[in-house]
Amino acid sequence: MNKTLLFFTVLVIATCGLIYELIAGALASYLLGDSITQFSTVIGSYLFAMGIGSWLSRFIERGVPQRFVEIELGVALVGGLCAPMLFLTFALTDIFRVALYGSVLVIGTLVGLEIPLLLRILKDELKFKDLVSQVLTFDYLGALAASISFPLLFVPKLGLVRTSLLFGLLNALVGLWSTWLLAPVLAHPLRLRVKAVALSLFLVVGLVLGDRLTNFSEEHLYADDVVHATSSPYQRIVLTRGKRGFSLYLNGNLQFTSLDEYRYHEALVHPALVRAGRVERVLVLGGGDGLAAREILKYPEVKNVTLVDLDPAMTGLATRYEELAELNAHAMADPRMHIINTDAMEYLREKPETWDVIVVDFPDPNNFSLGKLYTTGFYKLLKRRLAPEGVAVIQSTSPMFARRSFWCIDTTLKAAGFWTQPYHALVPSFGEWGYVLVAHEPVPPRRPMPEGLRFLTEDTHEGLFHFPMDMSPLPAEVNRLNNQVLVHYYEEEWRRWN
């Protein structure tokens, strides 16, 4: 029995096991939102299931090597198919959570069986203390390899579906080579090899067709035809086209529809620019689609626009994808534009400059990584980077569908020391949508809006600042980095509408 190859087997199965756990957590976060809740419950369920598997291993008394290989093939099948099956379940049924936690429990139980059985196979080859230390060392090394390679290599290069199938294939190959490593103690090695080869071929076919499986799932997930889809290290980017024009989705959440996006972006940009003392230097945080930049560049006084967006895949798409580039009027290629792909909070910390106007166009705070960009800590950084007569505007979710969330953002901005002026606009694709203007002190309009706008006029601009009773202020806590109450408000309120 080759102990070196068996320890390498430990490394591979540990890597595969953690990859399946990360896939389930990432997929749940992508489809359900609230990444902390999803990862916490998935990891907890997975570890619990591993405990069940370890406990169940005591009942396997005969044919331990045979059972080990069979379990490897079981992990390969269930783990390899988990991502494509969960995507299909989400798109086609209403039992996604049942399928999610069912697959987590099954995979975790099978993975929990692996190491105890392998320890029993090796018990006659090494002293107990050496056996445990070496097996656990390779187990933890495999976990490290998985945790580093998953976000940096596999998700951006392969996506969740093909990553799942690839590691299922690795598990099947572990099962196959184990039939040679353990051949002297296996009852039916040839039968196991046939099963392992058949399963490997099946997973290879799935790997080749991985993009088609993803596209099939997304075609059922989105109402319109998917015309472009890509995964970056930060998000899943999907463009669809239908009767309403084309639409952008990030991690399954609608960002705009070309038919009415002008309402959203005119309302986002122009109330701030008509109030600022100067508009020569403008900072855009988020807004990687270039549509806010399009509106900003309508002012001839603008000399420099710095756009900070975390994801180069998004800003690249806005620059090179012809239909999107036409919609943003090729703003991303304008010589006044400077695109920087980095974290907005880190950028504000590191740059001592100030800007005349700051447009904050982040996605809604539906998870804690986004929620940090709506906290007092972030807004205090923002305040230091705003010129004395400057004005900033913050996209602030819907005051109709997430009323307390909207007023929580306003409360948090006031706690950071801003003067605030909330307002809202009707965007048919989203419903009533909210924004908050902020400055160091109250500011009235100072300049006219540019010509050629499709939504805003002097009269409609004034009407944005009036709230009906069902969107009027509600008491809300301040959103701080250590509590992120806004994310909880947001999840609770939008759950009622979805």
Side-chain angles (χ1 to χ4, degrees), residues 402-434:
R403 184 176 169 190
R404 196 175 301 276
S405 301
F406 176 81
W407 292 108
C408 174
I409 295 170
D410 180 64
T411 299
T412 304
L413 287 160
K414 287 176 179 173
F418 279 116
W419 167 82
T420 71
Q421 191 170 18
Y423 64 102
H424 65 100
L426 177 63
V427 183
S429 293
F430 298 131
E432 289 288 347
W433 213 255

Side-chain angles (χ1 to χ4, degrees), residues 283-286 308-310 340-352 355 360 362 368-382 384-385 479-482 484:
L283 175 66
V284 182
L285 301 177
V308 179
D309 190 284
L310 182 62
I340 299 172
N341 297 119
T342 190
D343 180 87
M345 184 173 275
E346 291 302 315
Y347 183 81
L348 291 181
R349 281 192 184 126
E350 294 169 2
K351 295 294 180 181
W355 283 271
V360 182
F362 296 136
F368 291 96
S369 61
L370 287 169
K372 75 174 184 178
L373 303 174
Y374 290 81
T375 59
T376 49
F378 180 80
Y379 291 147
K380 286 177 181 178
L381 279 175
L382 194 73
R384 292 201 291 269
R385 301 294 175 252
N479 188 46
R480 303 184 190 279
L481 195 57
N482 70 328
Q484 296 243 23

